[in-house]
Amino acid sequence: MAENILVAYDGSELSRKAVEEAKKQAKLVKDAVVHAVTVITHAGPTANAALARSFMGDMAEEIRPSMERIRKEFEAEGINCKAEVLLDYSFRNPSSQIIEYAKENQIDLIILGSRGLGGVGRLLLGSVSSQIVHRAECKVLVVK
């Protein structure tokens, strides 16, 4: 049985750990396909929509080489991988784009990092991981 695994990557150490976990999970299932996904969302003032879109495009171009390296890492280990940079102009939490992608691509498992917080905050997930845990229709694995 093939399994579609989505791993969310944002360049952080925790998302790097999520990538490593995705490799482990993919090796457990014959013909697994990993979807390495990063979301570029608009942040900051919106006075100039064209400038905001241009900035997002620049950010996407900056992360594309990292996503390609991740794709090659999976392929080197014999794991089929698709690397995607998703642009979201809607001002939503990036979790919305990840959840939509998961539905459209029949994802069976989402793997992502939790943000590390100190003190009482350790009991809470980051906003993206929390939204995905609560709204995703598939299994979710949060890596610490």
Side-chain angles (χ1 to χ4, degrees):
M1 175 180 129
E3 183 161 307
N4 284 312
I5 300 169
L6 183 152
V7 60
Y9 181 78
D10 65 5
S12 69
E13 182 59 33
L14 286 171
S15 68
R16 187 70 225 165
K17 287 182 179 181
V19 166
E20 294 305 314
E21 183 62 33
K23 290 177 187 177
K24 292 176 189 174
Q25 294 296 320
K27 289 177 182 177
L28 297 174
V29 181
K30 184 178 171 105
D31 299 326
V33 177
V34 174
H35 300 251
V37 173
T38 192
V39 177
I40 305 296
T41 188
H42 177 65
T46 60
N48 187 328
L51 185 59
R53 283 193 168 90
S54 175
F55 180 67
M56 288 174 65
D58 291 347
M59 290 175 58
E61 288 309 310
E62 279 185 37
I63 199 153
R64 283 190 208 288
S66 295
M67 298 305 290
E68 183 60 18
R69 278 192 297 278
I70 289 170
R71 187 192 65 74
K72 288 180 180 178
E73 281 180 37
F74 280 98
E75 297 286 339
E77 294 192 34
I79 301 166
N80 187 5
C81 180
K82 298 176 182 181
E84 303 280 349
V85 177
L86 308 176
L87 297 174
D88 185 3
Y89 300 105
S90 66
F91 303 100
R92 299 177 297 176
N93 182 303
S95 63
S96 297
Q97 189 79 9
I98 292 169
I99 290 167
E100 286 174 15
Y101 183 94
K103 286 179 188 176
E104 291 168 5
N105 291 276
Q106 299 175 326
I107 299 297
D108 302 296
L109 171 65
I110 298 172
I111 302 173
L112 69 159
S114 166
R115 85 174 167 198
L117 299 173
V120 175
R122 269 186 241 181
L123 300 174
L124 305 175
L125 295 174
S127 64
V128 173
S129 53
S130 179
Q131 288 290 318
I132 291 172
V133 165
H134 289 95
R135 295 179 46 219
E137 295 177 3
C138 62
K139 296 179 283 183
V140 178
L141 175 60
V142 179
V143 177
K144 292 176 85 173

